Coordinates of all heavy atoms in Angstrom, one line a residue:
E3 N -232.6 -56.5 -145.7 CA -233.7 -57.5 -145.6 C -233.5 -58.5 -146.8 O -233.2 -58.0 -147.9 CB -235.0 -56.8 -145.7 CG -236.2 -57.8 -145.4 CD -237.5 -57.0 -145.2 OE1 -237.5 -56.0 -144.5 OE2 -238.4 -57.4 -145.9
L5 N -234.5 -60.8 -149.9 CA -235.6 -60.8 -150.9 C -236.5 -62.0 -150.8 O -236.1 -63.1 -150.4 CB -235.0 -60.9 -152.3 CG -234.1 -59.7 -152.8 CD1 -233.5 -60.0 -154.2 CD2 -234.9 -58.4 -152.8
T15 N -235.1 -61.7 -163.9 CA -235.7 -61.3 -165.2 C -235.0 -60.0 -165.7 O -234.8 -59.9 -166.9 CB -237.2 -61.1 -165.1 OG1 -237.5 -59.9 -164.4 CG2 -238.0 -62.3 -164.7
C24 N -233.9 -56.2 -178.9 CA -235.0 -55.3 -179.4 C -234.5 -53.9 -179.1 O -234.1 -53.6 -177.9 CB -236.3 -55.6 -178.6 SG -237.6 -54.5 -179.0
A41 N -236.6 -72.3 -167.4 CA -236.3 -71.7 -168.7 C -236.2 -70.2 -168.5 O -236.9 -69.7 -167.6 CB -237.2 -72.1 -169.8
G50 N -229.8 -67.0 -185.1 CA -229.3 -67.0 -186.4 C -229.8 -66.0 -187.4 O -229.4 -65.8 -188.5
T55 N -231.1 -54.6 -183.2 CA -230.0 -53.7 -182.8 C -228.9 -53.6 -183.9 O -228.1 -52.7 -183.9 CB -229.4 -54.2 -181.5 OG1 -229.1 -55.6 -181.6 CG2 -230.3 -54.0 -180.3
C59 N -235.5 -52.3 -186.9 CA -236.8 -52.9 -186.7 C -237.6 -53.0 -188.0 O -237.4 -52.2 -188.9 CB -237.6 -52.2 -185.6 SG -236.9 -52.1 -184.0
L60 N -238.5 -54.0 -188.1 CA -239.4 -54.1 -189.2 C -240.8 -53.9 -188.6 O -241.5 -54.8 -188.2 CB -239.4 -55.5 -189.8 CG -238.2 -55.8 -190.7 CD1 -238.2 -57.2 -191.2 CD2 -238.2 -54.8 -191.9
I61 N -241.2 -52.6 -188.4 CA -242.4 -52.3 -187.7 C -243.6 -52.4 -188.7 O -243.6 -52.0 -189.8 CB -242.3 -50.8 -187.2 CG1 -241.2 -50.7 -186.3 CG2 -243.6 -50.4 -186.6 CD1 -241.2 -51.5 -185.0
Q65 N -254.6 -52.8 -185.9 CA -255.7 -52.1 -185.2 C -256.4 -53.1 -184.3 O -256.8 -54.2 -184.7 CB -256.6 -51.5 -186.2 CG -257.6 -50.5 -185.6 CD -258.3 -49.7 -186.7 OE1 -258.6 -50.3 -187.8 NE2 -258.7 -48.5 -186.4
T70 N -257.8 -48.8 -181.7 CA -256.4 -48.3 -181.3 C -255.4 -48.9 -182.3 O -255.4 -50.1 -182.6 CB -256.1 -48.7 -179.9 OG1 -257.1 -48.3 -179.0 CG2 -254.7 -48.1 -179.5
F76 N -241.8 -57.3 -186.8 CA -241.8 -58.6 -187.4 C -240.6 -59.4 -186.9 O -240.6 -60.7 -186.9 CB -241.7 -58.5 -188.9 CG -243.1 -58.4 -189.6 CD1 -243.4 -57.3 -190.3 CD2 -244.0 -59.5 -189.4 CE1 -244.7 -57.2 -190.9 CE2 -245.3 -59.4 -190.0 CZ -245.6 -58.2 -190.8
Q88 N -237.6 -72.4 -175.2 CA -236.4 -73.0 -174.5 C -236.8 -74.2 -173.7 O -236.2 -75.2 -173.7 CB -235.7 -71.9 -173.7 CG -234.4 -72.5 -173.0 CD -233.8 -71.5 -172.1 OE1 -234.2 -71.4 -170.9 NE2 -232.8 -70.7 -172.6
A94 N -238.4 -79.5 -170.8 CA -238.9 -79.1 -169.4 C -240.4 -78.8 -169.5 O -240.9 -78.0 -170.2 CB -238.2 -77.8 -169.0
R97 N -246.2 -77.0 -167.2 CA -247.6 -77.0 -166.6 C -247.5 -76.8 -165.1 O -246.6 -77.3 -164.4 CB -248.3 -78.3 -166.9 CG -249.7 -78.4 -166.3 CD -250.3 -79.7 -166.5 NE -250.6 -79.9 -167.9 CZ -251.0 -81.0 -168.4 NH1 -251.2 -82.0 -167.7 NH2 -251.2 -81.1 -169.7
C108 N -248.2 -59.3 -173.3 CA -249.2 -58.7 -174.3 C -250.3 -59.8 -174.4 O -250.2 -60.9 -173.8 CB -248.5 -58.6 -175.7 SG -248.2 -60.1 -176.5
N117 N -252.6 -71.5 -172.4 CA -252.6 -72.8 -173.0 C -251.5 -73.7 -172.6 O -251.5 -74.9 -172.7 CB -252.7 -72.6 -174.5 CG -254.1 -72.5 -175.0 OD1 -255.0 -72.4 -174.3 ND2 -254.2 -72.4 -176.3
L146 N -252.5 -63.3 -161.9 CA -251.7 -62.3 -162.4 C -251.3 -61.4 -161.2 O -252.2 -60.8 -160.6 CB -252.5 -61.5 -163.5 CG -251.7 -60.4 -164.2 CD1 -250.6 -61.0 -165.0 CD2 -252.7 -59.7 -165.1

Side-chain angles (χ1 to χ4, degrees):
E3 193 172 311
L5 295 176
T15 67
C24 175
T55 50
C59 297
L60 283 177
I61 301 298
Q65 195 170 25
T70 305
F76 273 118
Q88 184 186 84
R97 178 183 292 170
C108 73
N117 275 2
L146 185 64

